[in-house]
Amino acid sequence: MIHEVTMPAMGADMTEGTVVKWLKNEGDEVARGDKLAEIETDKTVVEMEAYNAGILRRIVLGDGTKAAVGSLLAYIGDADDELPAVDEPVVEEVEVVAEPEPVEEVEIVAPEPAPVAQAVAEPVAAAPPAPTVEGGRIKASPLARRLAREKGFDLAAIPGTGPGGRITRDDVLEFKPAPAFAPSGVDVAAPSVVMDGSDVELTTMRQAIARVTRRSMDEAPHYYVTTGVDMTDAMSFRAQLNAELADSGVRVSVNDMIIKALAMAIVKHPKWNTTFHDDRLEGHDSVNVGVAIALEAGLIVPALIGVHDMSLVDVANASKSLGGRARGDGGTLTQEELTAGTFSTSNLGMFGIDTFAAIIVPPQAGILAVGAVKPTPVVEGDDIVIRQMMNATISADHRVGDGAEAAVLLNEVKDNLERPLRLIL
C-alpha cells in the first residue's frame, strides 16, 4: 500500500517548512519511527519521522524546497505498488517588460552663483550689566522682586536691563539659573541623544512567536497562582549530590530539580496532563515537560519526553542534551520534542528576576514560571531567619481546571522541592 509523506506541523502555529536534507534515499528501506528528513521550521531544524514502514519509493520535493504544511513530500510503499502520477510543477509566467526608449540627454547648466556680500565686522554685543546695588539694596521693580521670590531666584544673579541696570519683570521671566550643583564655568547642557526611529522587520521566528502567543491568549483563559518555595534544603541537597556525581561529569541544576518536582506533581494530579477540546479533556499517557530556552533569535520550548519515568540524573542528562540541540550543538530536535509537550516550565532566575507569569504554550494545560533563589528574611516562630527562597507561579488554562486545583498542583511542587529526598525516591 502506498503512503503519502506530507509536510508535518511541528509547532503550535507552523504554516510551512523547508526540506533541509533527506536522510533516506529513494529505494531505502524505512521502518516506522526512522528519521526521514531534516525540516526547518520558523524556529529550528527538526528531524521528521516516518509514520509508515516500507520502501521510500519517490521523493517529490528535494532538498532546499519550501512547502506548506500538508504538502506532499514523498511516497512510501512496497516495491510492487503502483505510484500515483505526479503533476508537473507549474512554472509561474513572468511578464517581460520591454526596455524603455532611451531618453535624450539634456545638459543642465548650473546658474551663476549669486555674489556673496562682503562680511562686515560687527561689534560684539556687550553682556547685560550686573544688577546695580544702591545702599546695599539691589535695584529691581516690585513686580520683578515678587516674581523672583515666587520662583526662588536670587536677585543678585539676575542681570538687569532696565535703566541704570534695574531688574525688570522680563529679566526675571527670561532668567535661566544654572543648576546649583554645577561648578562655575562648566557646561551643564544635557548630551544630545539621537534615537533610531526606523521600523524593524520581524524575523520569521519572531513572527511565529507572535502568532503562538496571540493564539494562546485568545484561546486559553489564563489565571495565575503564586507561592514562595523554601529552597534551603534543596540547595544543600543539590550541592551534596553534585559532589557525589563529580567524577561522572553529570551536574544537576536547580532547573532539573524543578522539572522533576513538577513531573512528580503531575503524576499525582493527572488532570493537568490533558489538553482541552470542545467536549472533553484529552489525556496523555506520558508527562512531557517543555523547557523554555532563550536563543539569540527568540524563544523555543522543546519538551523532555517521558519525565515521569526519569530519575533526577536522567533529567539532568536529558536537559543538557535538549538545550545543546536546541542551540544547534550536537544534533537537531525531534518532531516529538517540538510538538508533544503537555506542561511547560520557564526559569528567569539567572536574570535575577523574582517573580513573573509565563504564557501557556498551546495546546498545553499550563506552565510553571520560577524566579531566582535568594537569601530572604523569614519568620519562624518568634525568630527571623535567613532562608533561600524562590517564587513560583503557575499560569493555568481555566478550561482544564479551577484555581483551587492549580493551587493543589503548585503546593505539591512546593512540597517536592522543600523535601528534596522525594526527588530521588
Side-chain angles (χ1 to χ4, degrees), residues 351-377:
F351 298 102
I353 299 302
D354 292 327
T355 305
F356 73 106
I359 296 177
I360 299 169
V361 181
Q364 298 173 22
I367 183 169
L368 172 66
V370 298
V373 178
K374 292 184 176 181
T376 307

Side-chain angles (χ1 to χ4, degrees), residues 2 29 61 82 120 123 136-137 147 164-165 203 224 253 287 302 316 324 328 342 372 387 409 424:
I2 288 291
E29 288 280 349
L61 296 181
E82 183 177 352
V120 178
R137 180 177 175 82
L147 287 175
T203 63
Y224 313 95
S253 69
V287 179
T342 56
R387 306 290 289 179
L409 178 69
I424 59 172

Side-chain angles (χ1 to χ4, degrees), residues 12-23:
D13 203 34
M14 176 178 166
T15 58
E16 62 182 11
T18 301
V19 180
V20 177
K21 179 175 65 176
W22 282 95
L23 303 177

Side-chain angles (χ1 to χ4, degrees), residues 15 36 47 75 89 136 159 180 195 261 360 386 391 410 418-419:
T15 58
L36 277 180
E47 292 177 341
Y75 289 107
M195 296 294 295
I360 299 169
I386 302 299
N391 292 325
L410 183 56
E418 292 184 344
R419 301 166 65 182

